[in-house]
Amino acid sequence: MNVTTRQGTLEDIPGVFELVKELAIFERALDQVSNTVDRMKQDYDNKLYDFFVAENEEKIIGLSLYYFRYSTWKGKRLYMEDIIVTEAMRGHGIGKLLFDATVQAAHDTHCTGMMWQVLDWNISAVGFYRKYGTRFDDEWVNCNLDF
């Protein structure tokens, strides 16, 4: 298997959106996806996020989507919104390639660290992140307002 990772481009967004929907199905939440390919393209053009893709035979099989946030305590932080590997390709080190690329992007852009969320029932993902020495937070509660 010949897997490569690279910075994503506008042309990749339709394939990326298919992975987003696959993740939503995995997380039992497809009905909550209201984003569209067109909105993702517009937001990418407006530099609201960036991403890496993993490819095998020119097919997108993985994604790490991230953006920057600012902490009054820590400064510039990279927030990894999603890391997704298509189900058929999981277990081949593709998530590690994408995660490592994202960690490197955080270093290259002078971030003080990275943040992300993981579902507590996603045991394989929790185990994956533990290998990196990830600190899991038990104090903070996620809050959302939808418009």
Side-chain angles (χ1 to χ4, degrees):
M1 179 170 32
N2 184 23
V3 176
T4 58
T5 58
R6 62 172 174 78
Q7 199 74 48
T9 66
L10 187 68
E11 292 76 26
D12 294 323
I13 291 176
V16 162
F17 192 65
E18 290 304 311
L19 286 175
V20 169
K21 290 190 296 187
E22 183 178 331
L23 176 66
I25 292 167
F26 175 76
E27 292 183 356
R28 305 174 200 127
L30 182 59
D31 61 319
Q32 296 179 38
V33 176
S34 61
N35 209 356
T36 65
V37 169
D38 288 339
R39 185 183 300 149
M40 285 189 76
K41 285 180 176 182
Q42 180 180 352
D43 291 343
Y44 182 75
D45 280 341
N46 289 328
K47 304 193 182 321
L48 292 181
Y49 68 91
D50 211 342
F51 62 100
F52 291 103
V53 294
E55 291 181 312
N56 183 33
E57 299 177 9
E58 297 185 21
K59 181 176 180 355
I60 295 174
I61 57 169
L63 161 74
S64 173
L65 189 143
Y66 63 91
Y67 50 88
F68 300 101
R69 63 181 297 268
Y70 193 81
S71 166
T72 55
W73 290 11
K74 304 285 186 180
K76 183 180 177 183
R77 312 286 277 175
L78 185 146
Y79 187 86
M80 185 175 66
E81 179 66 28
D82 281 319
I83 188 166
I84 308 167
V85 175
T86 193
E87 188 173 10
M89 300 302 286
R90 292 181 193 148
H92 296 284
I94 298 163
K96 180 179 182 345
L97 291 172
L98 289 163
F99 190 76
D100 289 348
T102 308
V103 169
Q104 189 61 52
H107 285 291
D108 292 348
T109 56
H110 310 289
C111 292
T112 62
M114 278 179 56
M115 303 177 80
W116 64 93
Q117 296 173 310
V118 61
L119 290 167
D120 58 359
W121 57 259
N122 191 345
I123 302 304
S124 63
V126 170
F128 172 80
Y129 295 130
R130 283 195 194 285
K131 294 176 189 174
Y132 286 86
T134 299
R135 179 178 52 82
F136 293 85
D137 193 333
D138 291 330
E139 289 183 62
W140 292 89
V141 175
N142 292 316
C143 301
N144 295 283
L145 284 176
D146 291 326
F147 300 108

